[in-house]
Amino acid sequence: MAAPGNYRIDSKASFAEILIRFKDVIVKTETLAFWLFVIIAVVLILALLDKSRHTKLGINWLVPLIYFVGSAAMISVLAFAAMRPERTWFTAIVLLIVIAGWLYSEIKFSDVKPYIITASKLGLTAVFTIVFLISFNKEFSAVKSTYDQIKPGLEAIEQAVEKGENEVEIPLVTPSDSKYDPYNGALYAGDSPTLWVNAWMEKYYGIEKITGVK
């Protein structure tokens, strides 16, 4: 799941080549996860410095540890993926966000008045919600534009199947430049029926020839 795409890494890749790919993954991940690691470190330090709570490592630390190992594994497995678009880091980043939130929730600010803590939580929640909605609307519109291009082609194929036709032409798809578009950087049906994506669709729908046209 963390290494999607319809390209394959060369099965004969040497260990040195895999290390190079792993280094490339780490370099790309650094820009995406750096601030989350900083937040986790700061919150963790605050938690350990707070004398009002139990700071020894115990069962309560098992959950964030599992999330962290899962996040690291999802990032590491990309070294074996032929495609590494930034959207493949999504789940790993979410796990880091969960860790940061869990650590923050564990801190007991005994010297801070409750209304200040409540106000700060509501303020941060409001800011992050607004940023999320703006980002989501932008990326959703971009991804939807790609699916709007795909839909007519699928409808044409389904109609051809119903009519018993053996050949069908579908519009070529130009994916959006959104980092979250699953078709950005991936193969889709092309202008030649011999392309493996076309051949796969022909096999799936039971049609002899599917050709992409502008």
Side-chain angles (χ1 to χ4, degrees):
M1 291 177 63
N6 48 17
Y7 292 91
R8 294 182 181 275
I9 183 174
D10 188 355
S11 59
K12 297 181 180 180
S14 66
F15 181 72
E17 291 172 330
I18 293 177
L19 288 180
I20 293 175
R21 298 171 70 86
F22 182 76
K23 180 181 178 181
D24 180 59
V25 169
I26 296 300
V27 170
K28 290 184 177 181
T29 307
E30 180 180 4
T31 60
L32 294 169
F34 174 76
W35 288 111
L36 278 173
F37 279 113
V38 170
I39 292 173
I40 291 174
V42 171
V43 175
L44 182 59
I45 291 172
L46 289 174
L48 294 176
L49 291 178
D50 191 343
K51 302 301 182 182
S52 65
R53 67 183 299 276
H54 185 66
T55 59
K56 293 183 179 180
L57 292 177
I59 190 64
N60 289 338
W61 293 85
L62 181 60
V63 174
L65 178 61
I66 292 175
Y67 278 120
F68 182 80
V69 172
S71 178
M74 289 182 178
I75 293 174
S76 300
V77 75
L78 293 176
F80 300 93
M83 293 178 60
R84 297 187 295 277
E86 292 186 24
R87 62 180 176 272
T88 56
W89 278 268
F90 178 78
T91 306
I93 297 300
V94 169
L95 292 181
L96 293 179
I97 293 174
V98 171
I99 295 173
W102 182 90
L103 291 174
Y104 178 77
S105 68
E106 285 293 296
I107 300 177
K108 305 297 187 296
F109 296 97
S110 55
D111 298 330
V112 182
K113 294 182 178 180
Y115 73 87
I116 295 179
I117 297 177
T118 301
S120 64
K121 289 182 177 180
L122 292 176
L124 288 173
T125 301
V127 171
F128 287 132
T129 300
I130 293 173
V131 172
F132 165 76
L133 290 175
I134 294 175
S135 175
F136 178 82
N137 181 66
K138 175 184 176 182
E139 301 300 336
F140 177 80
S141 299
V143 174
K144 184 176 182 298
S145 68
T146 299
Y147 280 94
D148 288 342
Q149 297 179 62
I150 295 173
K151 185 177 179 180
L154 296 180
E155 291 176 345
I157 294 175
E158 291 172 355
Q159 291 175 4
V161 171
E162 292 178 358
K163 296 177 180 179
E165 298 176 353
N166 294 323
E167 298 183 8
V168 62
E169 294 183 345
I170 63 175
L172 291 173
V173 174
T174 303
S176 69
D177 58 358
S178 171
K179 299 174 183 178
Y180 301 96
D181 190 334
Y183 290 92
N184 184 4
L187 289 176
Y188 192 65
D191 55 6
S192 173
T194 60
L195 290 175
W196 79 264
V197 178
N198 295 53
W200 176 85
M201 295 179 69
E202 291 162 2
K203 182 69 174 179
Y204 180 82
Y205 288 102
I207 294 181
E208 293 182 5
K209 182 187 294 186
I210 295 178
T211 306
V213 295
K214 294 183 178 180

